[in-house]
Amino acid sequence: MPRPKRPAEGDTSTSKKPKPTFDERPPKKPRKNEIATDDISTGAQKPSILKQGEKAFPRGGASVLTPLEHKQIQIEATRDVLFEQAGKSTVNEVDEEDGDIVEASRAALKRKKKKAKPLSKGVPDELAEQKTKIESLGYKRLVEDSMVLGQVTQITRRDIALALPNNLTGYVPITSISDQLTAKIDDLLGKENEAEDDDEESDDFEDVDLKRLFKLGQYLRAAVRSVQNEDIKTHGPGKRHIELSLNPHVANGRMSKTDIAVGCTLQAAVKSVEDHGLVMDLGMNDQSVNGFLPSKALGPDIDHSTMEEGSVLLCLVTGSSSNGSMVQLSANHQASGATKKAKFLTTAPTVNTFLPGTAVEFQVTEVQPSGVVGQLMGMQVVTADRIHSGGATNSKELEELYSVGNRTKARILCSFPGSEPPKLGITLLPHILSLSPHPTTSRNTNPLSILPISAFVDNAKVVKVVDGMGLFMELGESGCRGFAHISRISDDKVEDLSSTSGRYKLGSSHHSRVVGYNPIDGLYRVSLEKKVLEQAFLRVEDVPVGQVLKCSVEKLIFNDKGAGGLLLKLSDGITGLCPENHMSDIQLRNPERKFKEGSVVNARVLSVDPEKRRIQLTLKKSLVNSDEPIWSDYTKILPGAQSLGTIVSVVRGGAVLKFYGAIRGFLPVFEMSDSLIEDATRHFKVGQVIKVRVLNVDPGLQRMTLSCKDPSSLSEVDAAVFAAMEIGSVVDGIVTEKNADTIKLEIADSNIKATLQQDHLTDGSEAKNASALKKIHVGQKLQDLVVLEKIIERSSVVLTKKASLVKAARSKTLVSSFDGIHEGREVQGFVRAINNERAFVQFAGRVVGLLRKSQIEPEMANAPNLGLRVGQSLTCKVLSVFQAQQQFQLTMKKQKVAQSEIKTTETSTPRTNDMAVVNPVDEKSMNVSDFVVGKETKARITSIRQTQLNVQLGDNLQGRIDVSEAFDSWEKIKNPKQPLKMFQPKEILDVRVLGIHDARGHRFLPITHRSNGIPVFELSTKRHNSDDGFLTMDKIQNGSSWVAFVNNIDAKCVWVNLSPTVRGRIDLRDLADDISLLKNVEEYFPIGSALRVRVKAVDASMNRLDLTAKVSSGSKSLTIEDVSKGMILPGTVVKVTEQYIMVRVSDAVLGQVPLTEFADDYSKANPTIHNMYDVVRVCVIGVDVPNKRILLSLRPSKVLNSKAPVQDPAIATISQLKVNDVVRGFVHQVADNGVFVTLGPTVTAFVRVSDLSDSYVKDWKSLVEIDQLVNGKITTVDSTANRIHMSLKDSLLNKDFIPPITFSDIAVGQVVTGKVRKVQEYGVFIVVDNSHNVSGLCHRSEIADSKIGDVRTLFDEGDAVKALVLKIDKDQRRISFGLKASYFQNQPNDGETSDEDDDGVGGVVLDEAGSEESDIEMEEGGADLDDVESIESEEEIAEDLDSDAEMENATSIQPSAGLSTSGFDWTGDALDADEKSSAAAGSENEAPTKKKKRRKPEIQVDKTGDLDKDGPKSVADFERLLLTQPNDSGLWIQYIAFQLQLGEVGKARDIAERALKTIHIREEDDKLNVWVALLSLENAYGSDETLEETFKRAVQYNDVQEIHERLASIYIESGKHDKAETLFQSMTKLRDINPHPAFWYNYAHFLLTTVSAPSRAHALLPRALQSVPPHLHRDLTTKFAILEFQSPAGDAERGRTLFEGLVTQWPKKGDLWDVWVDMEIKVGETEKARELFERMVQGKMKKKRAKFVFGRWREMEKKAGGKKGLERVQKAEKEYTGDE
C-alpha cells in the first residue's frame, strides 16, 4: 500500500503542530438524539494524513513518494512522538477496578523511561532505534467516537452491558441502539399519552423487550459516546461509566457507499422482516444504500421468525449489487469466523473500511515484550497489547510466538482516534478470531459455569509475572487463566514483582478469589487480598434469599411520615433496605434511638433484585428467629406446607402475603379463622406476620392459596375420634356449607371436617345427583355416609352416599386396601378417569384398578368415553392381580372364565417349557419347547374373529393368526369387506411360528419368555422365507404400497394394521375417492376389512405412519397454492358454530363455509346439523393466497348437480345486484343505526332503521336477531364505494300492502286507535296505529269528563287507546285528540267487540276501580318488579321535556319498596272492600290509580241481584256466584278465606285445588292469584313438606321468577326471615332469575330493610353485576345507591361512592346527577348537593339541560332560605352563560 503524499508547500497545516493531551482537550458533551455523520465530531480528532493530498490507495499499489521522502516523514513522526511523550508527566496508577491492566502497564513502562537518558534531538540514528508505541485500550485512551468491539454480557430492561477489551465494561442505553427501536419507543409513549388523555388504561401496549432483540455472547461494534465519573451515583470513588452506542449511523463511522468492500464488517439494524430475509439499515448518509441479510445467512443460533425491527447485528459483507445500493450481508459468525475459512479483508478502498470486528491479515514489523506491532496492506499501523497478542495465556514469550516479517491473521479490536501515526488495536486471541461466544476451555463450556464470580481458588499458580503490572495465574482448572492486578495482590502496597524471587515468584501457589471475568480478554479477575477473601459477598447476586446476616446500620431514612426505612450495610459496596414495616414486630415511636449508625443488627434477606441492585431485609424478630422453611420458589412449595408470611395488602375479602423473593399468596377471608370473619381489614393489618398453610399452588401461573386454619387443631376427643375412624365406616354428618358441586360437612358429634361431592350423592345419573343436591340445605343432617378417604394432613375425610358403596360397607365387602383384592372377586367402586382405551375405577382408601376397553361389553365400549362418566358407580370383577406392582385389572364382561385361565397352585403347575402337547395337530411336536421361531407346523381353526383366527396347535396349546398374516397378496383376498370369511372352523392350516402373543401389550415376546400360564403363539400362513424377518416401521418407505386391515375406527381417522406390530392411520379424507362412502364408515369399512394403501409419511422415531387409500391422490399434500376456484374436494368438519363451519381439506388447507353457502334455499341452512369430524364434499368459491384463506360452499347446485333448483342464488360480488332486486339474507349485525344483512360470503347490505318497518316501532331491535333470515329489496347499489342499501318494508315487498295512514288521511271527528308514545304532565302523545308515525297530543283537559290528578299515574308508554280527532292544524301539522268517555257513548256497537277489544280503549272512566294489573298488585301483593331500564337518558330528557317535566322524570327513578307482602285477609273483608270501592265510584278521595278491567254489564246485574248487600255469607252464596264467575280469582280467594274462618283447612285446600282446575287456562293472572293464596295457606296452616310440594307444583305452572318472589313475600310477611333468606340464596343460582335486576334489588332491599344486614347487602352488588347483562349495570347500580340512602340500615357514604363511580363512568348522563342530588337533599345534606350542582355546571351541557340544572339549584337554595346561596347560583349561571 503506498504511503500518503506529503503536504503541499503552501499548505498551512503541519505534522509538527503540537497535539494537546487528553486532559487538555475541552470536553464534548453529546447532544440529544445525536447521529454520527461525516460532518459530526470532525473536530474531536485530527484529520488523518491518509486523507490529505493524493489518493491513499492508488491503482497498482505504487508509492507516490520517493524513498528519501519516506525516510524524512518517518523521522519527523518519530520525533513528534518522542517530544510529546517527554513533555507529559508521569501517569500514576489508578485504583479503578476496571481498566487496571492497561493503566498499570503504562505506569510500569513510564517508570522504566524515567531511568533512561534524555534523547538528543539531532541524532537521527537514535530516533531510528526507537520502537513503535503499543497502544492499549483503557480509560485514558477511550475518547468520544472511539470504535471498539464488544460482547454482550448482560441485558436489562433499559440497557445492554458490553464487555470491552482490557477488562472494561460499557453500557448501551435503549435509546442508542437503532433508529427503528427509538421510533418504536416514541410510538409506544405517544399511545400511552393518548390513552392517559382519554382516561383509558394502556396495559394493551406491548413493551420493548431487549432480551428478544439480543442474546448473551453476541458480538457487536460500539461507538464511545462518553466516559464519566460516577462518584455522584454512589458507586464508589474512581468508578467510571462508559456510555456506548450501537446505532449503525454511529457504529459504522464515516463509512460511505464507496468504502464498502467484500470482507469488511458493517453494523446493521433490522429495517423490515421479509419472507426470505431481512432488510437492514446500514446507517449511511445515502438513504438509498441498504443491506439484505438472507434467512440462510443468519446462522444456526438465530431464528428468522423471531427477528424484530430495531435489533442490531454485526454483519459480514459478502457482495453488493452493480450500483452498490444493495449490500449482501451475512450474520453467520460460525461460518465466517472459522479460522481456516475466515473471510478476511483483502482490499480496502479507504481507511474508513478498517473498523473493529473486521478480520484482516497483517505483517509483523515489531515484537516487543508488551505486544506486537504490524502493518495492514503496507501502510496502516496496528498493535496488539500483551493480553490480545496471546502473551497473557501462553507460557512462551512473544518473541517465540511471532517473527518479524511474517503475515498473521487478526481481527480489528478498537480504534485510537488522535494517535500519531494513526493506529488500530487488533487481537490475535482465537475465540475472537472465530467470533465464538466464549473462549474454549478444556471442558468446552462457559467459563463462568466452571468458576463463577465470588468462587474461591485454593491453589492458584503463578505462571507469568509482569513487574509493575501483576500476576497471570492458572486457576486450578485446565484452560482457566486469571490475572491479579498488582493492587489486588495484597492489602499492603506491593512495590515490585519478581519472577525469580519473592512471595509471588513463578510457580508459587496462593489462595485467591474470583472477582470478575471478561469474555473478550478470556481472563478471570482474581484477588489475593485478605479483606476480599474474608468478605462475605462481592455482588448483590451473591446474597442468598432467606439467610440471616449481621449488618451494620448505615443510615436511617426519613420521609414526610417519619422514619421510612433503614439502610443496612452487608459488606463493602453492598447495602440493603429494611422498610419501615419490617423494622420491628411492633410500631416504633422513636426508631432513631434503637438504630444508631454503626450499630450491628441481625437481619434476614427477604428479596434480592440483581437487575435493580436492590436487597430487601427484615428485622422482625418473628422472621429473623424463625425456623420455618424459606419459600423462594413456587416449584418447591407443596400443598400442606406451612411457613411465615408478611401481609402486604388487606381487603374485605382477604389478604395478600409476601414471603421470600417474588413469592406471594392469597389468604381468603373464609380461610382466616374457624370463626366467621366478615371483614378482613378489622382483624389483620399490613406488615403483620402470620403463619399460614398452603391449600394449593400453581407454579405456572405463580398463584398460591393460603389458609390460617390449623388442620390438626382438633381437640383431644376429636383427635381420638379421627384416629379411630376407619376407611369404610358408616357415619352421619351435618351440612355446614353448600357449593355448586360440593358439600362441606362436620361429622356428627365432632368437629371433624368432611367433603361430599355431588357425584357421590346417588348411584344414578348426573341429573339425579343434581336433583339430590338441590334438596340438601345447610344445617341438614345426612345419614348413611361412608368414609372413602382420610386426609391426615388436614384431619378431614372424604365421604360418599352412593347406595352401592353404603351397602358394601355395611356388609364389610367394600374394598379399602389392596390386601382385599383377589381374582374373581366382585367389587363395587366408581369411575375415577377415562381415556379412549381404558378406565380407572377407584375404591375406598384410594385403591384404583384398571378396566380396559376389551373388558367392557361391546355396546358400551363403542360408545363415547366407553359409555361411562366420571363418578359413575360400577360393579366389576377382578380379572388379574399383580402383587409385585400392587396393581390389578377388572372386567365387566359376564362370561365364563376360559379353561386356560383357571388358577392353579404353583406346585401343581408344570413348567411351560416341559409341558407335553396333547393331541398335536401336526402329530410331530410332543412338547411345548418344540415350537421355536420359524418352525413350520399345522394348526386347526377354532373360531373366526374380525381381525384374527383363533387356532389350536394341540388340545392344550392355543395360537392366533392375525388377519395381516393370513394373506400373501391382495389377489388372495376374495372378499375385502370380510377377508377371513373364506376360512372355516376346524380347517387345518399350514402355519409358521412367529413368537408368543402378549395379550396385555399387544406385542411379540421371545420364545424364551415363558410365564406360569400356557402361552398363546403368534402364527402366520404367509409363504415368505424364514429369514425375511418381521415387518418394522423402519423398513417402510414413503410412497410404498401395502395391504392393510382395519383395526379400529376413530372419529377422525381409521386405524389399520400392516402387520401384527405395525399400525398406521388413514385420515377419513384419504379413505376413499368416493366421498359418499364416508357417510357410513362402519358399514363400508368394517373392522377387519382389507384396504390397498400407500404410505404418505412415516416417522420411525415417533412410531407414526400416515397412509392413504385413495387411488387418485398423489403423494403430495394439498397446499393453498394448489387450490383453485371451482374445485370440488372432500373435507372434514373441524369446527361448528351457528354462523359457519370450518372444514379441513388437507393438513395445510382449512376453509370456512359461511351461512349463505349451506343450501340453495336459505330457509334450510343450518350449520348445527353437522357434527365434528363429519366428512363433507365442498366446492371452492374463493381463494385468498396471501392470507391463506379459502371460502367453501355446500350448495347442492355447486357440489352435486349444477342443474339443481336454486331458490336463493349465490351472490359473490356486488355487481350481481341491481336496484329493485328482491333477495334474502341473514342478519349479520345489529348496530345502533341499522342492521347489516349478509347476502353472500363477501357481500353485505345495510338496512337503515327507517327501512325496517312501515310503522313506528319504539324498540326496533326486538324485530331482528342475529342469523335471522330476512327478505328485502335492494334500494341502492354503489359499486365504487362497495355499499348496498336494502329495505325490509312490506310496502316494497308486498303487492297487496295497505299503505299506512298519513297526516292528510286524518279528519276531524274521526275515531282512531293508537298507542301512547310519551306521557307528560300536560297530556299524552298518541301515535296512530298503522300510520307513518302520525302522532298528536291529547291535552289533560280532554282525557276525562271530570277533573283528574297526575296524568302520569293513568297512562304508561305503549298503552293502547281509542281517541277522537278534535282539531287538526295543517300548517304546523298538529293533531289534537280527545279521550273522554262521553265522546264514545254514541259510537255504534257492532256487537262483535270482545272483552279483549274493549280493554284499554274507549277513554278514561274515573269511577272505575283501575286496571286488572294494578288490582292484582294492590290486592294480592307480591314483588314490585320495576323495569330498571325506565331511567331515561339525558338526550331524551333534553329533547322532549321542559324543566318541570325533567324534574319529575329525574325523581321518578325511585326504586320500589322491594318485595311487598301478600296481604291476604282470611276474614273475608277483601270482598267488602271491593264492593265499597265500587260504591264509592266518583269519590274525590278515590285516587284514579287502578285500571280495573271492565266486566260486561249484563253479567254483573243479572247474576248478583240475589245476594245480600253485605256479600256472600254461606257456602251456597259462594257456589251461586261461582256459577256465573268461574274465572274470578278474587271470589275463589274469598271462598277459601270463608272456609278458614270456619276452621276447615282441608276444605279450603280443596277449594283452592278446585279453583286451579276451574279457571280457564288463558286467565294466567287469576290462576297465579290462586297459587299465591294456596302458598299462603300452606305457610300459615300446613307443614314444610306440604308447602315445598305446593311450591314445586306452582313453579311448573307459573313464571319461575314470579312464583319465587311471591313465596319470598309470604315468608317476609309471616316473619320467617330465615326461610326467605334461604329462598333468595337459591334464586341466585337460577339462570331464569339471576339475569333480572329486579330480583337483585329486591334481595338487597330485604337484607337492608327487613333483616338489617348491610354487610351482606353490600356484598350482593358484585355478585349481581356478574349475572346481570352489562347494559343494565348502570341502572342496577343506581338503584343500589338509592337504597343506601333510603334504607334505615343503609350507608349514605357507600351510596355516594356508588354514585361517584357511576358519574365517573357516565359523566354525561344527567339523570344520574339528578338522582344523586335528590338523595342528598332528602337526607338533609344541602352542602353536598350544592357541591354536586357546582360539579355539574363546570362541565358542558345543552342549553335546555343547563336551564333545568340552574332552576333546580335555585329552587333548593330558596327552600334553604339563604341569600348567599341564591347569589351563588346567580353568579355561577352568569359565568356559565358568559353574561357578565
Side-chain angles (χ1 to χ4, degrees), residues 317-332:
V317 177
T318 59
S320 63
S321 60
S322 58
N323 59 359
S325 60
M326 182 59 69
V327 181
Q328 197 78 8
L329 304 174
S330 172
N332 189 351

Side-chain angles (χ1 to χ4, degrees), residues 327-538:
V327 181
Q328 197 78 8
L329 304 174
S330 172
N332 189 351
H333 297 322
Q334 184 174 343
S336 61
T339 306
K340 295 181 180 180
K341 300 180 181 180
K343 307 297 183 182
F344 292 94
L345 184 67
T346 56
T347 59
T350 67
V351 292
N352 293 335
T353 310
F354 298 137
L355 290 177
T358 301
V360 295
E361 194 172 26
F362 76 102
Q363 185 176 14
V364 179
T365 58
E366 297 179 32
V367 181
Q368 303 177 18
S370 60
V372 178
V373 182
Q375 288 186 343
L376 287 179
M377 301 183 184
M379 178 56 196
Q380 178 66 52
V381 179
V382 295
T383 63
D385 58 18
R386 186 189 304 272
I387 302 295
H388 286 275
S389 61
T393 58
N394 202 306
S395 58
K396 296 181 180 181
E397 296 297 333
L398 294 179
E399 289 81 357
E400 302 177 33
L401 297 175
Y402 306 101
S403 300
V404 175
N406 289 349
R407 302 189 67 80
T408 306
K409 297 176 180 179
R411 194 174 292 275
I412 301 176
L413 193 61
C414 58
S415 64
F416 300 105
S419 63
E420 292 294 342
K423 301 188 187 79
L424 295 174
I426 61 173
T427 179
L428 305 175
L429 297 180
H431 71 279
I432 302 182
L433 280 176
S434 61
L435 294 179
S436 301
H438 54 78
T440 305
T441 64
S442 60
R443 299 183 184 179
N444 197 24
T445 56
N446 188 348
L448 288 179
S449 64
I450 301 174
L451 281 178
I453 299 176
S454 300
F456 291 93
V457 181
D458 293 333
N459 296 312
K461 184 179 179 181
V462 178
V463 295
K464 184 171 289 188
V465 179
V466 180
D467 187 21
M469 182 178 177
L471 307 175
F472 289 94
M473 314 182 77
E474 184 175 317
L475 303 181
E477 295 286 345
S478 177
C480 294
R481 290 291 181 94
F483 173 74
H485 184 254
I486 191 171
S487 63
R488 289 281 195 177
I489 294 177
S490 175
D491 292 338
D492 301 326
K493 186 175 182 180
V494 177
E495 295 292 344
D496 296 314
L497 294 173
S498 173
S499 60
T500 58
S501 62
R503 182 181 177 187
Y504 305 105
K505 63 182 179 179
L506 282 177
S508 58
S509 297
H510 304 274
H511 185 58
S512 61
R513 190 174 189 182
V514 179
V515 296
Y517 177 76
N518 188 291
I520 291 289
D521 299 334
L523 287 175
Y524 290 92
R525 290 171 50 207
V526 297
S527 174
L528 281 64
E529 298 169 282
K530 185 177 180 182
K531 63 179 181 182
V532 175
L533 296 175
E534 295 178 351
Q535 189 171 334
F537 310 109
L538 299 182

Side-chain angles (χ1 to χ4, degrees), residues 418-716:
S419 63
E420 292 294 342
K423 301 188 187 79
L424 295 174
I426 61 173
T427 179
L428 305 175
L429 297 180
H431 71 279
I432 302 182
L433 280 176
S434 61
L435 294 179
S436 301
H438 54 78
T440 305
T441 64
S442 60
R443 299 183 184 179
N444 197 24
T445 56
N446 188 348
L448 288 179
S449 64
I450 301 174
L451 281 178
I453 299 176
S454 300
F456 291 93
V457 181
D458 293 333
N459 296 312
K461 184 179 179 181
V462 178
V463 295
K464 184 171 289 188
V465 179
V466 180
D467 187 21
M469 182 178 177
L471 307 175
F472 289 94
M473 314 182 77
E474 184 175 317
L475 303 181
E477 295 286 345
S478 177
C480 294
R481 290 291 181 94
F483 173 74
H485 184 254
I486 191 171
S487 63
R488 289 281 195 177
I489 294 177
S490 175
D491 292 338
D492 301 326
K493 186 175 182 180
V494 177
E495 295 292 344
D496 296 314
L497 294 173
S498 173
S499 60
T500 58
S501 62
R503 182 181 177 187
Y504 305 105
K505 63 182 179 179
L506 282 177
S508 58
S509 297
H510 304 274
H511 185 58
S512 61
R513 190 174 189 182
V514 179
V515 296
Y517 177 76
N518 188 291
I520 291 289
D521 299 334
L523 287 175
Y524 290 92
R525 290 171 50 207
V526 297
S527 174
L528 281 64
E529 298 169 282
K530 185 177 180 182
K531 63 179 181 182
V532 175
L533 296 175
E534 295 178 351
Q535 189 171 334
F537 310 109
L538 299 182
R539 306 177 303 162
V540 173
E541 294 91 327
D542 299 335
V543 180
V545 174
Q547 185 170 336
V548 178
L549 307 173
K550 285 190 176 296
C551 310
S552 60
V553 178
E554 190 170 276
K555 185 179 180 181
L556 188 61
I557 303 174
F558 290 92
N559 53 27
D560 54 350
K561 296 181 180 180
L566 197 62
L567 202 61
L568 302 176
K569 181 178 179 181
L570 283 70
S571 62
D572 292 341
I574 299 180
T575 58
L577 176 66
C578 176
E580 182 271 336
N581 59 350
H582 274 280
M583 292 169 59
S584 177
D585 286 310
I586 60 175
Q587 185 71 28
L588 297 178
R589 295 184 178 180
N590 300 302
E592 63 277 2
R593 296 182 182 178
K594 182 176 182 180
F595 303 108
K596 297 181 180 180
E597 293 186 9
S599 59
V600 178
V601 295
N602 289 331
R604 189 183 288 272
V605 181
L606 288 178
S607 63
V608 177
D609 189 349
E611 185 173 329
K612 298 181 180 179
R613 295 184 59 82
R614 293 179 181 175
I615 301 175
Q616 190 174 9
L617 306 168
T618 181
L619 298 177
K620 289 178 176 287
K621 298 297 182 183
S622 55
L623 293 177
V624 174
N625 300 330
S626 172
D627 295 330
E628 297 293 336
I630 303 300
W631 289 352
S632 58
D633 188 354
Y634 281 105
T635 60
K636 297 181 180 179
I637 303 175
L638 300 176
Q642 298 183 4
S643 187
L644 293 175
T646 307
I647 297 177
V648 295
S649 175
V650 186
V651 294
R652 288 182 56 89
V656 177
L657 276 74
K658 184 176 181 182
F659 299 91
Y660 297 92
I663 303 301
R664 290 173 177 254
F666 180 67
L667 176 63
V669 65
F670 54 82
E671 289 292 342
M672 288 182 170
S673 176
D674 291 322
S675 57
L676 178 63
I677 294 179
E678 294 185 354
D679 188 354
T681 58
R682 298 180 181 178
H683 301 271
F684 296 90
K685 62 181 181 179
V686 174
Q688 183 178 350
V689 178
I690 57 177
K691 187 174 182 180
V692 293
R693 175 173 53 88
V694 179
L695 293 180
N696 55 74
V697 59
D698 189 338
L701 298 177
Q702 294 190 349
R703 293 180 180 176
M704 185 165 57
T705 307
L706 309 170
S707 174
C708 284
K709 297 179 180 180
D710 187 359
S712 60
S713 59
L714 295 177
S715 63
E716 295 182 1

Side-chain angles (χ1 to χ4, degrees), residues 91-111 133-142 148 164-169 240 242 370 383-388 413-414 416 466-470 472 483-487 518 520-521 523 525:
V91 181
N92 297 327
E93 290 184 353
V94 292
D95 294 331
E96 291 94 343
E97 295 182 6
D98 295 329
D100 46 11
I101 299 177
V102 177
E103 305 302 339
S105 61
R106 289 179 183 162
L109 180 61
K110 293 187 177 182
R111 282 199 297 271
K133 179 184 177 183
I134 295 178
E135 299 285 355
S136 294
L137 197 64
Y139 283 120
K140 298 296 184 181
R141 300 300 296 145
L142 274 177
V148 62
L164 305 179
N166 294 333
N167 210 22
L168 298 176
T169 301
R240 296 182 181 181
I242 304 173
S370 60
T383 63
D385 58 18
R386 186 189 304 272
I387 302 295
H388 286 275
L413 193 61
C414 58
F416 300 105
V466 180
D467 187 21
M469 182 178 177
F472 289 94
F483 173 74
H485 184 254
I486 191 171
S487 63
N518 188 291
I520 291 289
D521 299 334
L523 287 175
R525 290 171 50 207

Side-chain angles (χ1 to χ4, degrees), residues 813-882:
T813 59
L814 180 66
V815 175
S816 59
S817 66
F818 187 79
D819 297 336
I821 300 295
H822 56 80
E823 293 183 10
R825 178 182 174 183
E826 188 174 86
V827 291
Q828 288 77 28
F830 58 93
V831 179
R832 178 180 178 179
I834 310 170
N835 60 26
N836 292 333
E837 298 295 332
R838 61 183 63 86
F840 296 93
V841 182
Q842 183 173 340
F843 305 91
R846 300 182 73 87
V847 178
V848 180
L850 177 63
L851 177 62
R852 294 187 180 275
K853 181 179 180 180
S854 59
Q855 298 302 322
I856 302 176
E857 295 295 339
E859 59 270 13
M860 289 181 59
N862 295 328
N865 293 328
L866 305 180
L868 303 172
R869 62 175 175 81
V870 175
Q872 180 178 344
S873 302
L874 287 182
T875 300
C876 310
K877 282 190 177 182
V878 179
L879 181 64
S880 58
V881 181
F882 308 98

Side-chain angles (χ1 to χ4, degrees), residues 912 915-943 949-961 986-997 1007 1010 1014-1021:
T912 303
M915 187 176 66
V917 179
V918 180
N919 295 327
V921 179
D922 61 359
E923 299 180 354
K924 297 178 182 179
S925 303
M926 297 292 104
N927 205 313
V928 174
S929 60
D930 294 338
F931 294 95
V932 296
V933 174
K935 176 182 175 63
E936 294 185 356
T937 183
K938 293 182 180 295
R940 182 185 298 109
I941 300 175
T942 58
S943 63
L949 297 173
N950 294 332
V951 298
Q952 279 185 340
L953 298 174
D955 290 350
N956 61 341
L957 195 60
Q958 308 296 324
R960 69 182 290 272
I961 304 174
K986 297 184 180 181
E987 182 181 351
I988 296 178
L989 304 175
D990 293 329
V991 297
R992 188 163 56 91
V993 178
L994 298 178
I996 296 177
H997 175 69
I1007 291 292
R1010 301 300 191 186
I1014 300 175
V1016 177
F1017 285 92
E1018 192 76 41
L1019 307 172
S1020 173
T1021 63

Side-chain angles (χ1 to χ4, degrees), residues 721 724-734 745-750 754 781-790 797-814 816 844:
V721 172
M725 189 178 298
E726 297 181 356
I727 295 177
S729 58
V730 181
V731 297
D732 297 339
I734 307 297
L745 307 96
E746 285 186 356
I747 302 300
D749 302 326
S750 71
K781 184 176 182 180
L782 300 182
Q783 299 178 343
D784 295 335
L785 303 173
V786 177
V787 178
L788 275 183
E789 180 185 350
K790 291 177 64 176
V797 295
V798 178
L799 305 175
T800 182
K801 204 176 185 323
K802 288 180 176 290
S804 59
L805 299 182
V806 173
K807 182 179 179 181
R810 292 191 180 279
S811 61
K812 305 298 182 182
T813 59
L814 180 66
S816 59

